[in-house]
């Protein structure tokens, strides 16, 4: 729309002024309120806008203005500028940038009639009375408040323990816990501030885990210094990652003496002790480095399939290889399932060890998965679901397994479950590699089957039915190859469906 030769005192004239940069949205909004018979005031003050870092003192750079309108007997905050635009990040956590974000225009309901208790996290008026709070906060208190953006409030996030904008710790691991009303896509990013004020993005130093109705955001701080932790959440409509909250974390040096423990705050550049800490952290960086997995736990798409899990189950697990990891789920919707189990070990190409993850039981809505990593390293287990008749699978759950097993140990794979593995449970054999010329006991539950057979080459070996359990001792023969378990579900039919697949071999190797 071209706005030319307009009187500056008319609404269209004001729009032209905004187009030319000589007028503001606030002046236009105040004029429109006056036309509607509403009392509106423009408020001057400071705000934690784009470029503000947690804990930073207010300066002229952060001067801002917003409006308040009198409606139904009380004043309400409105920020026309912030309510009409936002900065866009990227979906992948490792690619979220702190600078040069795209500025887009879109209505944000948070900045229209904002609650004063939420408004104070971003806006500090020159006149304390215009905070509209029962007890006004001071400038020092305002700076100490964490930086909370509109996505934090729009998604109804909350903190389990209320943090401040700046926090100190002598520990290498730092955590923030956020209460979630529903499962969300989340990501986190950690930056280290150098001595000259520049920001270094630290890859692999954050991990977000969804545990029940909580998001646990972990950050690994490799050495003393000033860090900035930012938590992002995906917009429900566009999938764009938007900043929800951010914090400044100061890691300080802890020194232990014979009599007592003392904590000494240092900078990153001026002591020999600190330099040694940096070298040590570098040597053991693998310990504090997380794989780039965005977040762990149920995904937002899990709700579509009625996915449920123990609310206390942590999607980040540690094993020494002595016992398999067991995970129990529920999927209320009848759907197809598949999975992968990717090794993400440092300096190694990602490799799928899907046969080391077994859907041991699928009965009704219940699922029981067993995981057994074959070697030391990080593994990402991803569970995918698709509607019957569809070939499009979507991820509904992610878990991270760190294996610290001995390098010389050998962990055999599980058998592969095939498309008709439904309402079934495998008891034995759990080893997916069967030895040549050996007798193997089979035991599985397939309550809806009328016949179950083990097939090696062209030979069919029928299992015996014992109260919905199918059992039998099968000789593997002298030839390497595949062994499959088939089931017939129609007594009058002749069609058999594949359930399981094993490998007959004389040795194991990778």
């Amino acid at each position: 729309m071209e706005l030319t030769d307009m009187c500056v005192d008319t609404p269209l004239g004001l729009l032209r002024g905004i187009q030319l940069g000589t007028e503001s949205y606030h002046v236009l909004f105040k004029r429109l309120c006056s036309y509607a018979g509403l009392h509106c005031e423009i408020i001057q003050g400071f705000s934690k806008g784009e470029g503000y870092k947690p804990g930073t003192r207010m300066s002229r750079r952060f001067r801002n203005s917003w409006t308040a309108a009198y409606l139904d007997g009380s004043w309400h905050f409105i920020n026309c500028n912030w309510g009409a635009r936002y900065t866009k990040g990227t979906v992948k956590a490792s690619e979220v940038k702190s600078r040069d974000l795209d500025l887009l225009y879109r209505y944000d309901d948070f900045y229209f009639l904002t609650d004063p208790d939420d408004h104070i996290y971003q806006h500090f008026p020159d006149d304390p009375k215009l905070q509209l709070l029962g007890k006004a906060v001071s400038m020092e208190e305002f700076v100490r408040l964490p930086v909370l953006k509109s996505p934090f409030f729009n998604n109804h996030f909350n903190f389990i323990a209320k943090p401040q904008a700046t926090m100190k710790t002598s520990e290498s691991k730092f955590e923030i816990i956020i209460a979630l009303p529903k499962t969300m896509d989340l990501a986190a990013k950690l930056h280290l501030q150098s001595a000259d004020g520049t920001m270094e993005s630290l890859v692999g130093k954050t991990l977000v885990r969804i545990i029940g109705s909580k998001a646990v955001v972990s950050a690994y701080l490799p050495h003393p210094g000033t860090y900035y932790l930012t938590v992002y959440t995906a917009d429900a409509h566009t999938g764009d990652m938007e900043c929800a909250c951010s914090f400044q974390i100061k890691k300080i040096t802890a020194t232990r003496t014979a009599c007592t423990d003392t904590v000494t705050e240092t900078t990153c550049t001026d002591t020999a002790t600190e330099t040694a800490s940096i070298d040590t952290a570098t040597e053991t960086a693998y310990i504090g480095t997380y794989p780039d997995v965005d977040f762990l736990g149920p995904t937002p798409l899990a709700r579509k399939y009625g996915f449920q899990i123990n609310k206390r189950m942590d999607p980040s697990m540690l094993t020494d290889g002595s016992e398999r990891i067991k995970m129990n789920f529920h999927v209320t919707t009848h759907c197809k399932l598949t999975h992968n189990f990717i090794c993400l070990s440092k300096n190694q190409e990602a490799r799928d060890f899907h046969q080391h993850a077994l859907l041991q039981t699928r009965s009704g809505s219940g699922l029981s998965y067993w995981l057994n990593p074959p070697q030391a390293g990080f593994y990402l287990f991803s569970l995918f679901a698709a509607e019957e008749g569809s070939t499009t699978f979507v991820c509904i759950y992610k878990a991270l397994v760190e294996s610290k097993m001995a390098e010389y140990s050998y962990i055999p794979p599980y058998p592969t479950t095939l498309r008709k593995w439904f309402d079934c449970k495998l008891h034995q054999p759990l080893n997916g590699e069967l030895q040549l010329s050996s007798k193997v006991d089979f035991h599985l539950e397939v309550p809806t089957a009328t016949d179950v057979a083990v097939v090696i080459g062209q030979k069919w070996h029928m299992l015996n039915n014992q109260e919905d359990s199918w059992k039998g001792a099968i000789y593997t023969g002298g030839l390497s190859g595949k062994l499959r378990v088939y089931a017939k579900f129609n007594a009058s039919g002749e069609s058999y469906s594949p359930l399981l697949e094993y490998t007959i071999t004389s040795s194991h190797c990778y």
Side-chain angles (χ1 to χ4, degrees):
M1 179 179 181
E2 293 294 330
L3 302 174
T4 57
D5 301 325
M6 297 290 180
C7 176
V8 295
D9 291 331
T10 65
L12 289 179
L14 287 172
L15 285 175
R16 174 160 173 76
I18 290 173
Q19 189 181 63
L20 297 174
T22 59
E23 295 290 350
S24 71
Y25 284 107
H26 304 306
V27 172
L28 174 60
F29 183 76
K30 183 176 180 179
R31 180 67 61 90
L32 294 175
C33 283
S34 68
Y35 293 157
L38 299 175
H39 190 184
C40 177
E41 293 292 340
I42 298 176
I43 301 174
Q44 303 293 331
F46 296 90
S47 65
K48 297 179 180 179
E50 184 65 35
Y52 178 83
K53 296 183 179 65
T56 304
R57 292 184 178 180
M58 287 294 156
S59 63
R60 292 178 59 85
R61 176 187 176 187
F62 301 110
R63 291 293 296 174
N64 210 332
S65 59
W66 54 94
T67 58
Y70 192 76
L71 302 169
D72 298 328
S74 61
W75 287 94
H76 299 269
F77 292 119
I78 299 161
N79 192 324
C80 301
N81 273 334
W82 290 15
R85 61 189 183 185
Y86 75 107
T87 52
K88 173 186 174 182
T90 53
V91 173
K92 197 169 182 62
S94 60
E95 299 172 357
V96 173
K97 301 177 181 179
S98 59
R99 297 179 181 178
D100 301 327
L101 297 177
D102 296 331
L103 183 63
L104 303 178
Y105 288 88
R106 186 191 67 192
Y107 172 65
D108 189 338
D109 186 64
F110 173 75
Y111 296 107
F112 182 72
L113 308 182
T114 311
D115 188 300
D117 289 331
D118 299 337
H119 193 264
I120 192 60
Y121 281 94
Q122 292 179 283
H123 301 80
F124 185 86
D126 294 334
D127 185 350
K129 295 179 181 178
L130 297 180
Q131 295 177 17
L132 305 184
L133 298 173
K135 181 181 178 181
V137 303
S138 65
M139 174 61 81
E140 291 74 18
E141 291 171 324
F142 174 68
V143 172
R144 287 199 297 268
L145 289 173
V147 177
L148 306 183
K149 300 292 188 176
S150 62
F152 185 92
F153 299 103
N154 289 337
N155 290 300
H156 306 287
F157 292 172
N158 208 341
F159 293 111
I160 300 301
K162 191 173 183 179
Q164 292 189 334
T166 300
M167 292 166 282
K168 296 179 181 180
T169 180
S170 60
E171 302 293 331
S172 294
K173 187 176 181 181
F174 181 86
E175 288 189 342
I176 291 287
I177 303 178
I178 301 173
L180 307 176
K182 61 181 180 180
T183 304
M184 302 286 296
D185 273 327
L186 297 172
K189 192 69 177 174
L190 188 68
H191 288 82
L192 172 63
Q193 182 173 295
S194 61
D196 61 3
T198 58
M199 305 293 286
E200 177 189 358
S201 177
L202 303 182
V203 178
K205 301 300 181 185
T206 60
L207 187 68
V208 180
R209 295 131 58 209
I210 308 297
I211 306 175
S213 59
K214 302 172 185 177
V216 180
V217 182
S218 302
Y220 177 77
L221 315 176
H223 53 76
T226 300
Y227 298 82
Y228 291 91
L229 175 64
T230 305
V231 181
Y232 299 85
T233 185
D235 178 78
H237 303 288
T238 65
D240 296 331
M241 297 303 287
E242 301 174 343
C243 174
C245 53
S246 58
F247 313 89
Q248 182 192 89
I249 309 166
K250 291 186 176 181
K251 185 183 180 184
I252 54 183
T253 302
T255 56
R256 187 178 297 274
T257 64
C259 299
T260 184
D261 292 340
T262 60
V263 177
T264 306
E265 184 172 356
T266 65
T267 64
C268 294
T269 56
D270 58 2
T271 66
T273 301
E274 191 170 359
T275 302
S277 298
I278 295 174
D279 292 340
T280 301
T282 302
E283 292 172 0
T284 59
Y286 182 80
I287 298 174
T289 300
Y290 303 110
D292 184 16
V293 294
D294 293 340
F295 76 95
L296 303 173
T299 72
L301 291 171
R303 294 192 297 269
K304 177 180 178 181
Y305 297 92
F307 181 85
Q308 298 175 11
I309 193 171
N310 186 329
K311 292 183 178 180
R312 296 184 179 180
M313 181 173 167
D314 192 328
S316 178
M317 293 163 273
L318 179 67
T319 179
D320 61 3
S322 61
E323 294 183 359
R324 63 176 60 93
I325 295 172
K326 299 180 182 180
M327 300 185 298
N328 296 318
F329 309 127
H330 285 274
V331 179
T332 58
T333 302
H334 188 83
C335 60
K336 298 187 294 185
L337 297 173
T338 189
H339 67 269
N340 57 32
F341 195 42
I342 306 294
C343 180
L344 303 172
S345 296
K346 190 178 180 181
N347 300 326
Q348 292 186 17
E349 184 178 351
R351 182 179 174 186
D352 190 358
F353 288 92
H354 67 275
Q355 281 192 271
H356 287 264
L358 171 68
L359 178 55
Q360 188 260 348
T361 304
R362 184 170 187 184
S363 179
S365 64
L367 310 175
S368 180
Y369 265 96
W370 291 3
L371 308 180
N372 217 357
Q375 58 196 34
F378 282 105
Y379 294 79
L380 179 64
F381 171 80
S382 300
L383 179 61
F384 300 88
E387 296 178 348
E388 289 292 342
S390 173
T391 58
T392 303
F393 284 83
V394 296
C395 183
I396 60 174
Y397 185 79
K398 293 186 289 185
L400 183 68
V401 178
E402 183 180 4
S403 173
K404 293 190 174 182
M405 61 179 292
E407 293 292 341
Y408 56 80
S409 300
Y410 173 72
I411 304 295
Y414 291 118
T416 300
T417 56
L418 302 176
R419 61 186 181 89
K420 285 297 185 179
W421 187 254
F422 191 86
D423 280 337
C424 302
K425 181 176 183 178
L426 176 63
H427 293 279
Q428 60 178 335
L430 295 174
N431 189 340
E433 292 180 344
L434 306 179
Q435 292 297 306
L436 285 171
S437 304
S438 63
K439 183 175 287 187
V440 180
D441 289 327
F442 279 80
H443 178 196
L444 57 155
E445 296 179 26
V446 192
T448 57
T450 59
D451 281 306
V452 175
V454 174
V455 180
I456 305 173
Q458 299 298 318
K459 285 190 175 182
W460 286 62
H461 307 269
M462 306 306 295
L463 298 182
N464 299 316
N465 185 5
Q466 301 177 18
E467 298 180 355
D468 293 332
S469 288
W470 298 85
K471 299 179 180 180
I474 306 300
Y475 181 68
T476 58
L479 297 176
S480 300
K482 296 296 183 182
L483 178 154
R484 279 194 170 191
V485 179
Y486 287 84
K488 184 169 71 170
F489 296 97
N490 186 346
S492 60
E494 297 182 357
S495 175
Y496 281 77
S497 300
L499 301 181
L500 298 165
E501 182 176 272
Y502 296 80
T503 299
I504 301 174
T505 180
S506 60
S507 62
H508 56 255
C509 60
Y510 281 99

